[in-house]
Amino acid sequence: MIAFDFEYCKPSSAAEAVETFNMFREQGKNAMYFSGGTEIITFARVNKLRADAVIDIKGIPECNVLKLHGNQLVIGAAVSLNKITDSKLFPLLGQTVKKIADHTSRNKITIGGNMKSELIYKESVLPLLLVDAKVKIANGSEEEIVSLDAVFNKEIKLNSGNVLLQIIIDTSYIDLPYVSLKRTKISKVGYPVVSVAAIVKDNRIRVAFSGVCDYPFRSSEIETIVNDSSLPVYERVEKVLAHLPSKIVDDIQASRKYRSFVLKNVLLDTLSELEMVT
């Protein structure tokens, strides 16, 4: 049960959504955008989140698109994880999001919601970082397309009131050799101890991580190490662990020592598989 009242709006356009957000802000009310709603509901029930108004973006046509358009794959922010997997349009993304939560939850969890999650994992971001994805953002009555890198630094950072509408991926990336590996504490469903996505592009391995540090990341320094064929694979893996961007997470899912052990094995598996196609 959610222990507070809030206003609910479902605009039919991006401009209307931003206008509605700004209206609430001018009234001194705390408004937030809503797509799948699973996280809002979960946190609101335990009093970790409170809002005066929620603005449902599922009524915005652009947010529900999932299609190939010329040389681009366009994914609306309100498209569910299951729909992405079932479409088979981008196998790496499909396999990665298939491991997030259980099947029923993935009918509601949207890619935009997962990308902007309050949790540290945001696993759907991993393939998008690897393929130089772009995002379409509504800013008032205007829309702009920018690289994901321009708005993602540990998390997606948009100006207040802006709406994430779409993710755009060049189709030259979608059929590249890939690996998607996730290790959890007990079952196949759960928060990752380690989650890794990797592809081979121009004979080089690109790799992104979740669960290792307290934010998802891709590192050019780590990719230089991973692709240094002058070193044995095991030495490269040890070197990667010495060049992580921050401390390895130590929490209820896994100790720092155990996470390090799991990460080593996942990296060994990843390099073993992908070096056969480089």
Side-chain angles (χ1 to χ4, degrees):
M1 179 179 176
I2 297 175
F4 58 87
D5 295 327
F6 58 87
E7 296 182 60
Y8 170 85
C9 302
K10 191 175 183 180
S12 58
S13 70
E16 183 186 350
V18 175
E19 183 181 350
T20 302
F21 183 96
N22 290 333
M23 177 193 71
F24 284 123
R25 181 170 56 185
E26 289 168 3
Q27 295 172 358
K29 296 180 179 179
N30 175 33
M32 60 179 57
Y33 293 115
F34 169 106
S35 53
T38 54
E39 197 163 295
I40 290 177
I41 293 169
T42 298
F43 285 140
R45 283 175 172 169
V46 294
N47 295 317
K48 290 186 176 181
L49 178 151
R50 191 176 185 89
D52 300 308
V54 295
I55 303 167
D56 192 342
I57 68 168
K58 292 192 297 296
I60 302 172
E62 288 171 280
C63 294
N64 296 290
V65 171
L66 177 58
K67 68 177 181 179
L68 293 170
H69 181 71
N71 63 348
Q72 295 179 329
L73 171 61
V74 182
I75 307 173
V79 174
S80 74
L81 302 186
N82 276 344
K83 191 172 181 180
I84 291 170
T85 300
D86 293 343
S87 75
K88 300 181 181 179
L89 290 173
F90 183 10
L92 171 56
L93 181 59
Q95 286 300 309
T96 301
V97 301
K98 187 178 182 179
K99 301 166 189 171
I100 297 172
D102 59 80
H103 187 274
T104 300
S105 296
R106 291 194 305 273
N107 282 327
K108 293 185 177 181
I109 300 172
T110 63
I111 187 166
N114 185 257
M115 290 170 69
K116 292 179 76 2
S117 172
E118 292 296 320
L119 301 172
I120 68 172
Y121 308 107
K122 305 174 182 66
E123 293 169 81
S124 63
V125 170
L126 303 186
L128 305 180
L129 293 174
L130 299 178
V131 301
D132 303 323
K134 297 178 180 179
V135 290
K136 180 185 280 191
I137 298 166
N139 179 7
S141 59
E142 300 180 353
E143 296 177 2
E144 61 177 340
I145 296 174
V146 301
S147 69
L148 176 60
D149 285 342
V151 295
F152 187 85
N153 180 16
K154 301 181 182 180
E155 61 183 4
I156 290 185
K157 297 181 179 180
L158 303 180
N159 292 333
S160 179
N162 286 7
V163 186
L164 175 65
L165 299 175
Q166 294 177 336
I167 302 97
I168 302 168
I169 301 159
D170 191 300
T171 55
S172 64
Y173 287 96
I174 63 178
D175 291 318
L176 294 174
Y178 72 88
V179 165
S180 176
L181 297 175
K182 177 175 180 175
R183 301 292 182 262
T184 57
K185 185 176 181 181
I186 301 175
S187 65
K188 291 183 179 180
V189 175
Y191 298 135
V193 172
V194 171
S195 183
V196 168
I199 62 171
V200 176
K201 171 72 171 174
D202 299 327
N203 294 316
R204 285 182 61 82
I205 296 171
R206 300 182 178 191
V207 60
F209 304 83
S210 174
V212 178
C213 301
D214 57 5
Y215 51 87
F217 66 91
R218 177 188 172 194
S219 162
S220 59
E221 185 178 17
I222 285 176
E223 288 178 4
T224 298
I225 296 168
V226 164
N227 287 284
D228 184 359
S229 58
S230 68
L231 295 175
V233 171
Y234 188 77
E235 286 187 27
R236 279 180 264 169
V237 169
E238 291 289 343
K239 198 171 179 181
V240 166
L241 266 70
H243 288 81
L244 295 173
S246 64
K247 287 184 179 180
I248 294 177
V249 173
D250 188 337
D251 62 12
I252 193 171
Q253 303 299 323
S255 67
R256 183 168 293 119
K257 183 176 181 179
Y258 182 66
R259 264 198 171 88
S260 299
F261 169 77
V262 174
L263 176 57
K264 288 180 183 179
N265 283 281
V266 169
L267 277 171
L268 287 170
D269 290 344
T270 299
L271 296 183
S272 175
E273 185 165 344
L274 290 185
E275 285 202 327
M276 294 187 293
V277 295
T278 56

